[in-house]
Amino acid sequence: MGPGRTVGVVVEHDLADQATIGVVDRCGYAAIAVNFEQPPGAAEGTVGAILVRDLERLEMVATDPRYASAGVAMVLLHSGEQEVTVPRGVTVIPATDDALKHLREFLTTALGEPHSPTAIRLSPREREVLTTYVLGATVEETAAAHFLAASTVRTHYRRATDRYCAAGRQVSNKTQLLLEMIADGWIPLPEHAGAVAS
């Protein structure tokens, strides 16, 4: 299976992580945090682009066979404070006023058109938690997997279903929410899912 349409944001464990994920979201793409101190787990195979803010972490990504050999597009958001030499095939986007425009262009080229403007907006955390839930975990299993209270999982579910219903897209159970999240591109389908056996 080739890379997906999700953007992996390599986290640096600071406040800018959430801002960077929010910028990717504003571009119309789903984003997940990628932490190279722990195995990426579910990120493997679903990430189509990696966004990095730090040259040292970029070198880790560029040499990681899970991503480097899978044709995953890589981009460095660079402050321009110092001159950098980047690995071959990595796009550098200067952190200037035009960075959002250039990032959007990069992601469209690397991953295709962004999610539909009619997609219901879910925060990165909501997408992460709800994906676990709608793909078959119970509320309690989802809560344990994400270190949350079960009531928080229920709150994420209720808020998401309320948003879909308010948009005229009736969601009354987790299977319907799964289908709507797939339709909006928040949960990527494997490339072979639509193939018909001959």
Side-chain angles (χ1 to χ4, degrees), residues 58-143:
L58 175 64
E59 290 170 359
M60 292 169 62
V61 175
T63 58
D64 189 317
R66 291 170 294 196
Y67 300 108
S69 64
V72 174
M74 298 181 195
V75 63
L76 171 68
L77 283 179
H78 181 53
S79 65
E81 294 169 2
Q82 62 193 37
E83 189 116 351
V84 295
T85 304
V86 296
R88 195 168 170 199
V90 173
T91 300
V92 177
I93 296 178
T96 64
D97 291 343
D98 292 334
L100 182 61
K101 180 183 100 170
H102 294 303
L103 179 61
R104 187 176 286 126
E105 290 169 358
F106 169 81
L107 294 174
T108 301
T109 300
L111 304 178
E113 288 298 317
H115 296 292
S116 165
T118 61
I120 300 303
R121 305 313 287 177
L122 301 175
S123 73
R125 185 62 168 162
E126 286 173 327
R127 292 194 302 263
E128 181 183 5
V129 171
L130 292 172
T131 296
T132 301
Y133 179 58
V134 299
L135 289 177
T138 64
V139 168
E140 291 74 20
E141 290 167 340
T142 303

